[in-house]
Amino acid sequence: MKIGFIGLGVMGAPMAHHLVGAGHEIFTVLNRSPLPKDLRASVVASPGDVARMSEIIVTMLPDTPDVERVLLGGNGVLEGLSADKLVIDMSSISPIATAEFAAKLRQAGAGYLDAPVSGGEVGAKAASLTIMVGGPTAEFERALPIFRTLGKNITLIGEHNGAGQTCKIANQIIVALNIEAVAEALVFASKAGCDPAKVRAALMGGFASSRVLEVHGERMIARTFAPGFRMRLHQKDLNLALESARALGVSLPNTAMAQQLMSACSARPGGAEADHSSLVQALEILSGHELSKEKE
């Protein structure tokens, strides 16, 4: 197929590579990220031109305003749409805004799916992403060859646009609270005089075991906070969770606490660009103890 792919960042670039490898022809427009040297793609002048050249248009962008600009701004995707085209937004953005974007694009006769992903850069490179989709079944089935090229766990959450984004927010709540729990546990054990690496190894064999304990627990102990998933992006996702919760009348007290800890980390120099596992540093400051400190 002829596929437009807008957003060749940390996640988008390897995803586009997989689509090229599957035999698809890729059209893109350059913005913040340059065209990777080994990516075979045709660069055009605007998102509208991407839409005109493509059967399916995929967006993988940082935040809601970025998606709005690309879809609905001047020379945006909307201007190049026709009734036979399908837009798939794989960004993590507001469910409320997603429904509004979908309605406007559907007025042009195009289809629309929201299909945010989980799995990070590792999952994007390995084509093992979890993909959470909102939209009509017929459009989901049309997009399945693309989804199967990019991921392994692919679920149609609901037939209404915004369902995929809602699921992604739920995912980010769970991940954030797991990171916070692991950080609390390791700081507690370390300040009590235990080796946090041995505590982590012991917990990996019990009911407390998790992917977060395995991967991010090791990052916390080794102090390796180079970003796999940047703090500012997870903070953005928790902001979306809290905004949506207010609209729904839902209480998310622990999500609010995790968001505040992330805000504290982001306020430090370089903190917003560090990995979200660096949330442990906020708890270390509150406890007056760092995991890297030698025990007395």
Side-chain angles (χ1 to χ4, degrees):
M1 290 185 286
K2 294 182 177 181
I3 298 175
F5 200 105
I6 302 174
L8 298 175
V10 171
M11 298 283 289
M15 292 166 70
H17 272 290
H18 292 309
L19 292 173
V20 170
H24 301 294
E25 185 178 359
I26 300 297
F27 298 88
T28 191
V29 60
L30 301 182
N31 187 10
R32 297 175 183 174
S33 302
L35 184 70
K37 293 181 180 179
D38 56 345
L39 178 63
R40 299 192 309 275
S42 299
V43 178
V44 298
S46 71
D49 291 329
V50 171
R52 291 182 190 95
M53 299 294 292
S54 307
E55 303 166 56
I56 293 178
I57 302 95
V58 178
T59 52
M60 186 64 179
L61 299 163
D63 205 348
T64 305
D66 303 297
V67 176
E68 182 175 21
R69 174 180 53 80
V70 164
L71 294 183
L72 306 177
N75 296 317
V77 167
L78 178 61
E79 296 186 14
L81 289 181
S82 57
D84 59 339
K85 298 182 186 290
L86 173 65
V87 175
I88 306 172
D89 179 35
M90 304 190 78
S91 320
S92 295
I93 66 168
S94 164
I96 297 170
T98 289
E100 294 171 354
F101 299 160
K104 291 179 180 178
L105 269 59
R106 289 189 185 283
Q107 288 176 358
Y112 191 99
L113 296 172
D114 51 293
V117 303
S118 180
E121 182 181 5
V122 172
K125 289 182 175 179
S128 61
L129 293 168
T130 291
I131 305 175
M132 300 154 265
V133 188
T137 299
E139 294 173 10
F140 172 74
E141 291 176 350
R142 180 182 176 189
L144 267 177
I146 291 175
F147 294 150
R148 286 172 176 156
T149 300
L150 302 176
K152 299 297 183 185
N153 182 20
I154 303 158
T155 306
L156 178 61
I157 304 300
E159 295 233 359
H160 62 284
N161 287 119
Q165 297 295 352
T166 298
C167 184
K168 177 59 188 289
I169 287 176
N171 178 87
Q172 296 303 80
I173 292 171
I174 292 170
V175 173
L177 299 190
N178 269 273
I179 292 173
E180 197 277 337
V182 168
E184 278 197 19
L186 294 180
V187 170
F188 162 76
S190 178
K191 193 161 187 180
C194 295
D195 182 342
K198 291 183 178 179
V199 170
R200 173 184 165 275
L203 295 178
M204 283 299 299
F207 199 54
S209 178
S210 70
R211 184 69 172 156
V212 169
L213 178 62
E214 177 187 359
V215 176
H216 290 330
E218 184 177 14
R219 282 177 173 266
M220 293 172 191
I221 294 165
R223 322 304 289 174
T224 52
F225 297 133
F229 187 70
R230 288 176 170 80
M231 182 71 75
R232 63 177 171 81
L233 295 178
H234 204 154
Q235 187 180 10
K236 175 262 296 183
D237 291 339
L238 294 192
N239 285 334
L240 291 175
L242 295 172
E243 290 170 7
S244 299
R246 280 193 293 272
L248 293 168
V250 173
S251 177
L252 301 178
N254 291 323
T255 301
M257 179 185 65
Q259 193 272 350
Q260 287 298 306
L261 291 172
M262 288 186 175
S263 293
C265 291
S266 294
R268 304 177 70 192
E273 300 302 317
D275 188 76
H276 55 170
S277 61
S278 64
L279 179 146
V280 70
Q281 293 177 313
L283 293 169
E284 290 171 337
I285 292 170
L286 292 172
S287 302
H289 177 81
E290 293 183 9
L291 296 182
S292 57
K293 297 285 188 183
E294 291 185 4
K295 319 300 179 299
E296 296 183 359

